[in-house]
Amino acid sequence: MTSTKPRVMLCNCEKTMRLDPSRIAGIDAGTPIHTQLCRAQLDAFEKALATGEPLLVGCTQEAPLFEDVAEERGAEQDISFFNIRERAGWCDTGTDPHPKISALLAEALMPSDPAALRSIESDGVCLVYGAGQQALDAALALEGRLSVSLLLSDASDILLPSVLPVPVHSGRIRAVGGALGSFSVTVDGYAQILPSSRGAPAFALARDGARAGCSLILDLSGGTPLVTGPAKRDGYFRVDPKDPAAVARALFDMADMVGTFEKPQYVTYDASICAHGRSGKTGCSNCLDACPAGAITSAGNEIVVDAGICGGCGSCAAHCPTGAVSYQYPNRATHVRRLQALLGTYREAGGRDPVLLVHDGDHGQDLINALARFGSGLPGNVLPVNVHAVTLFGHDAMLASVLAGARKMVFLCPPSKSDELDALRMEIELSASLLAGMGYAAEGLFEIAVESDPDALASRLAPVRGMLPKESGAFDPVGGKRDVARSAISRLIAQAPATADIIALPATAPYGRIAIDAEGCTLCLACVSSCPVNALADNPDKPQVSLTEAACVQCGLCEATCPESVITLEPRYNASPAAMRPVVLHEEEPATCTSCGKPFGTKSSIARIREKLSGKHWMFQREDQIALIEMCDDCRISAQWEMDDTPLRGGARPRMVTTDDYLLPDGAALTADDFLKEN
């Protein structure tokens, strides 16, 4: 039986790193440190393969070589890689790399649940859209590898070949929907080329609204993108027609996009806790506003996430107030545990003042590599966190990181995605407001770095000085988003310098209470029925509406639904135990029927109705008519029945003629005239 814990293999890369196995947490003190594992000592890797144990190799540069060797040897165990050289080992001579290496190793050893995958089929049908000879040349270059159609926005300067292997049309694309394998295209001015074209291309009669489907789109139009979030839409290649190198790269990448592809299911959706809408009213639209790819649409009371379009930025899940949209790449629990393992191991290994550098895999790694290869590398206290997208961080993960000991969090974002950061900024504002309300030094604790310059990045990595949690801690991140966030908040409050129960929050915060103007409230309870999280409740025994503040997500549905417009939202965080209990917002004495004594409404509502109708409506002129207003439904009908002029009681109805009426007392035989007698 082989061990499930991987064997860790480390190399000091020809002694360019100082590695002491006795100072690296998570491995045995006798673990060998290789100097040329990928070259002269490759046999050590081969011997490790022969054991059948899963392997974790501390090198990513030579991962392709190690994988090739494993394939040649027929190895079947799991082999994974993690980077310690650029991220930790290549650093200033005065820096101790071991605490950070221990942290990176602990992170790499963290188990995680893989996200679900969905299969995408691409049949290779490709639409090339552009102008002139360049678009035609691109279509001809792809023909043979893909099934290509050419749509020309301008055909004025093309020279048609004697053999035309691709269908050519003219027109302008009005709309594009879908993603790789399932694009839908709507074209105006659509017309087929005439085969008799001799000089300039001639086209048949054009028509608007033509529709077609395809698996791939090459957009060489140079105009406005045809889809939202073009860089995130799989299968859509938008290229500047004035950049020949970019056009060539797109042709190269598209040529092999035929067959079955797998894509992670980045998010899941739970409609039962969604606060988007209720009864035709719209409340929360955070996910719709945050999605840069246009993958989320409204479907009335719920939302729809198009997994084919979703690029996995995570802004929707980070900014969802209830956790109805939840990120799965990784999931919330794995994400928080990973941060806790990284920070906790660093602290236990002797590290101080940790700074988390959150970055995506490509842009961030390039800057880290540049700092390591041409500079002094990342500071020893800067822990890089490689994620699919930095925008997946919500306030729950940010606060859990601060609780675990982070002294600063820097979110590194490429300039090309600078317009996708609104949700992240709001989550940072919320986290900073909560921490500031507890008395912590929140200013500068969270920072977004839109940088492509390694030196500029290095200047922004200094830890925050000031009051932060003295005792770092971890917790089990079980439950939904709000459960995780409240667990972190309660632990931060327990050691906070300030102990205020009420913390003021920004308007976009998902915590708070509502206020009801009692003067205008009729206790119709429309707000109660509209609340998607059951924060509002009524009382079956008396006219009353109450709020459990801890459950309120500030979606605004109650405010939008209230017919009297007497509800206002108040964003805040209530740390007192009272937030967990229902608090009465408005109640009244019930109105009782003047006839039977049964409660049937509120006194103020009945008084208001009496004032508006008494003597002013034709049905309520006399005292006995006005008295009906203060009766319940049953008694009101009974009283109306007894009135002399009631419309409910008419004259005597004619008696129904029955068989007995036709039977004579003497038993005489009936004749036809007997049936014609009047009664």
Side-chain angles (χ1 to χ4, degrees):
M1 180 179 292
T2 59
S3 172
T4 57
K5 182 179 179 180
R7 174 190 292 192
V8 179
M9 304 192 72
L10 300 177
C11 178
N12 61 22
C13 201
E14 298 184 335
K15 299 183 179 180
T16 58
M17 295 183 284
R18 304 182 310 278
L19 300 183
D20 181 353
S22 66
R23 300 190 58 202
I24 300 176
I27 63 173
D28 295 332
T31 299
I33 301 297
H34 304 281
T35 58
Q36 284 190 336
L37 184 61
C38 61
R39 296 294 186 269
Q41 296 172 318
L42 189 59
D43 61 324
F45 177 72
E46 294 174 339
K47 290 178 181 178
L49 287 176
T51 66
E53 295 176 291
L55 302 179
L56 176 61
V57 183
C59 176
T60 54
Q61 176 177 287
E62 299 299 328
L65 171 65
F66 292 125
E67 289 174 340
D68 288 343
V69 172
E71 185 178 357
E72 290 174 2
R73 298 293 184 273
E76 297 182 353
Q77 68 261 52
D78 291 333
I79 304 174
S80 53
F81 307 88
F82 75 113
N83 184 335
I84 61 171
R85 189 179 65 182
E86 286 85 0
R87 297 200 295 167
W90 282 356
C91 56
D92 280 338
T93 55
T95 300
D96 181 5
H98 295 97
K100 187 196 289 193
I101 292 174
S102 298
L104 296 177
L105 176 59
E107 178 195 25
L109 291 172
M110 279 289 297
S112 62
D113 297 326
L117 300 176
R118 62 186 302 269
S119 295
I120 300 174
E121 296 290 339
S122 171
D123 58 8
V125 174
C126 174
L127 175 66
V128 177
Y129 178 56
Q133 188 67 34
Q134 184 185 45
L136 176 60
D137 291 343
L140 295 175
L142 287 172
E143 178 60 28
R145 303 296 297 269
L146 302 174
S147 178
V148 181
S149 294
L150 174 62
L151 181 65
L152 292 169
S153 58
D154 183 359
S156 59
D157 68 339
I158 69 170
L159 176 63
L160 294 173
S162 57
V163 177
L164 190 59
V166 300
V168 179
H169 308 82
S170 67
R172 293 193 175 274
I173 294 180
R174 181 204 302 172
V176 172
L180 172 64
S182 58
F183 283 108
S184 61
V185 183
T186 304
V187 181
D188 289 336
Y190 174 80
Q192 292 182 330
I193 193 171
L194 295 176
S196 58
S197 300
R198 183 175 181 182
F203 295 88
L205 184 65
R207 62 188 177 92
D208 292 340
R211 297 177 180 272
C214 59
S215 292
L216 300 161
I217 296 177
L218 175 58
D219 181 6
L220 297 172
S221 64
T224 303
L226 303 175
V227 299
T228 305
K232 300 179 180 296
R233 192 72 62 101
D234 293 333
Y236 175 73
F237 294 80
R238 178 175 178 264
V239 182
D240 183 356
K242 298 178 182 179
D243 186 349
V247 174
R249 284 195 302 271
L251 296 177
F252 180 81
D253 292 340
M254 296 182 72
D256 293 326
M257 296 192 70
V258 182
T260 302
F261 301 87
E262 289 186 335
K263 180 179 180 180
Q265 192 90 18
Y266 293 110
V267 299
T268 58
Y269 173 61
D270 182 359
S272 66
I273 57 174
C274 181
H276 173 57
R278 187 66 65 93
S279 302
K281 298 289 186 180
T282 300
C284 174
S285 60
N286 286 3
C287 59
L288 293 163
D289 299 336
C291 181
I296 304 177
T297 55
S298 174
N301 293 339
E302 301 175 1
I303 56 107
V304 175
V305 181
D306 189 328
I309 297 176
C310 175
C313 72
S315 293
C316 55
H319 204 37
C320 178
T322 64
V325 182
S326 181
Y327 202 68
Q328 298 297 306
Y329 194 68
N331 61 42
R332 180 179 298 107
T334 299
H335 182 44
V336 174
R337 290 189 184 112
R338 174 190 177 191
L339 297 169
Q340 291 176 341
L342 190 68
L343 290 161
T345 304
Y346 175 79
R347 181 182 67 252
E348 292 169 2
R352 299 180 60 186
D353 297 329
V355 174
L356 293 183
L357 175 59
V358 183
H359 66 90
D360 63 19
D362 297 326
H363 176 73
Q365 193 59 51
D366 289 344
L367 294 190
I368 292 172
N369 287 347
L371 284 171
R373 292 176 180 273
F374 304 105
S376 57
L378 286 177
N381 67 322
V382 176
L383 306 178
V385 180
N386 189 347
V387 292
H388 180 68
V390 300
T391 45
L392 66 86
F393 268 75
H395 68 281
D396 51 341
M398 295 179 193
L399 296 175
S401 298
V402 174
L403 177 64
R407 289 302 178 262
K408 187 170 185 177
M409 295 185 71
V410 178
F411 299 92
L412 175 59
C413 180
S416 61
K417 298 180 180 179
S418 60
D419 58 344
E420 302 176 9
L421 303 175
D422 287 346
L424 179 61
R425 290 191 181 96
M426 286 185 277
E427 290 298 302
I428 287 176
E429 183 184 15
L430 172 59
S431 300
S433 297
L434 285 164
L435 291 169
M438 302 175 200
Y440 291 117
E443 185 175 356
L445 185 59
F446 308 102
E447 184 176 349
I448 298 176
V450 183
E451 293 288 356
S452 292
D453 182 354
D455 294 329
L457 172 63
S459 66
R460 306 176 71 167
L461 299 177
V464 169
R465 301 301 178 186
M467 181 61 71
L468 285 170
K470 295 180 179 179
E471 297 181 6
S472 302
F475 61 94
D476 193 10
V478 296
K481 178 179 181 178
R482 293 174 72 85
D483 300 318
V484 173
R486 285 189 174 276
S487 294
I489 293 170
S490 63
R491 286 165 172 79
L492 287 166
I493 289 176
Q495 52 178 311
T499 57
D501 286 339
I502 304 299
I503 301 174
L505 297 178
T508 56
Y511 305 100
R513 66 174 182 175
I514 69 169
I516 296 179
D517 181 3
E519 188 69 24
C521 179
T522 61
L523 281 171
C524 67
L525 302 180
C527 56
V528 174
S529 61
S530 70
C531 182
V533 292
N534 297 322
L536 289 168
D538 61 353
N539 188 331
D541 299 323
K542 63 186 302 186
Q544 184 185 88
V545 59
S546 61
L547 171 72
T548 303
E549 186 171 344
C552 180
V553 298
Q554 297 284 285
C555 65
L557 275 170
C558 56
E559 184 181 32
T561 303
C562 179
E564 285 84 26
S565 300
V566 296
I567 293 179
T568 55
L569 306 180
E570 182 185 350
R572 67 179 197 174
Y573 190 86
N574 188 348
S576 70
M580 309 298 293
R581 299 190 294 268
V583 175
V584 175
L585 298 179
H586 181 46
E587 65 178 340
E588 292 188 26
E589 288 297 321
T592 55
C593 176
T594 55
S595 178
C596 69
K598 181 177 71 175
F600 71 100
T602 64
K603 285 186 175 181
S604 64
S605 296
I606 299 303
R608 193 178 298 115
I609 294 171
R610 181 184 177 103
E611 179 185 356
K612 289 185 175 294
L613 297 181
S614 298
K616 301 173 184 177
H617 191 279
W618 66 271
M619 291 182 63
F620 302 97
Q621 296 294 319
R622 304 189 310 267
E623 284 300 322
D624 59 340
Q625 293 175 322
I626 295 173
L628 296 174
I629 297 174
E630 298 179 336
M631 296 182 186
C632 67
D633 294 344
D634 295 336
C635 294
R636 189 179 303 123
I637 296 298
S638 298
Q640 283 182 295
W641 183 267
E642 299 300 329
M643 292 180 180
D644 294 336
D645 57 349
T646 178
L648 302 178
R649 188 175 68 238
R653 296 178 61 188
R655 186 174 62 83
M656 183 178 295
V657 178
T658 67
T659 301
D660 293 337
D661 295 319
Y662 296 106
L663 296 177
L664 298 177
D666 56 1
L670 297 175
T671 65
D673 293 337
D674 293 323
F675 290 92
L676 301 178
K677 291 179 180 179
E678 293 184 0
N679 294 321

